[in-house]
Amino acid sequence: MNAAIRVAAAGIVVLGGGYIGSLAASVFSVRAAQLEQLCLVLTQISFNIGFLKLPVAQAVSGAAKSRGGTVSRMFLDAADEMKDVSPSVAFERSLRRNRGSLCLSAEDMEILRSFSENLGAGDTESEIDNIKAACAKLKLAQDIAAAERDRRGRLWRGVGFLGGMFAAVMLF
């Protein structure tokens, strides 16, 4: 009976290590998903500005409402602030306020800051060009994030399981 409990406890420790490794690996998956969401929201904003001829604040609000999660919340915050300040300042503030909820790298944040500098500063064509440039950069970052997710995610999951196995051997 004592041996069965030890084996069960060792299995729980190994699975716990695997779970911790999976949690560490999830950051890479979330980053890739958020980059995809950012690109989709920006594409929707481009459509709202170019085709529907909406002002920037309404275009941002409409695009944010079509999505969910942290990215949507960030754009909704920006749209709400655009009533009081310029679009670039509102987006920068929203980006700063939601930074803790985003799983983006410093390079990804720089892409968004670059986008925000030119937001609301020109005519329809310059807005669409700014969005296209940001989408192209975000797409490249998304491809890099997906490769990193595949490579490093697998590594962290493996480290978790191996750590759990090591702890089980050391404890029992």
Side-chain angles (χ1 to χ4, degrees), residues 1-16:
M1 179 89 160
N2 195 10
I5 292 173
R6 283 183 172 213
V7 169
I12 290 171
V13 169
V14 170
L15 290 176

Side-chain angles (χ1 to χ4, degrees), residues 48-129:
N48 290 350
I49 290 173
F51 185 72
L52 299 178
K53 305 293 186 208
L54 294 176
V56 174
Q58 288 179 351
V60 170
S61 176
K65 289 177 184 174
S66 69
R67 302 283 169 217
T70 303
V71 173
S72 174
R73 188 172 49 249
M74 181 182 70
F75 279 95
L76 282 173
D77 287 350
D80 287 341
E81 276 204 38
M82 285 180 195
K83 297 171 187 168
D84 302 326
V85 295
S86 71
S88 60
V89 172
F91 190 79
E92 182 68 34
R93 286 182 185 171
S94 177
L95 187 61
R96 201 174 319 118
R97 194 174 26 253
N98 290 290
R99 181 181 201 151
S101 301
L102 296 169
C103 291
L104 301 178
S105 69
E107 294 84 13
D108 303 335
M109 296 298 278
E110 188 57 38
I111 292 169
L112 294 176
R113 278 191 201 94
S114 173
F115 164 73
S116 72
E117 289 174 358
N118 298 319
L119 185 63
D123 61 348
T124 302
E125 285 302 313
S126 64
E127 291 294 334
I128 291 173
D129 290 342

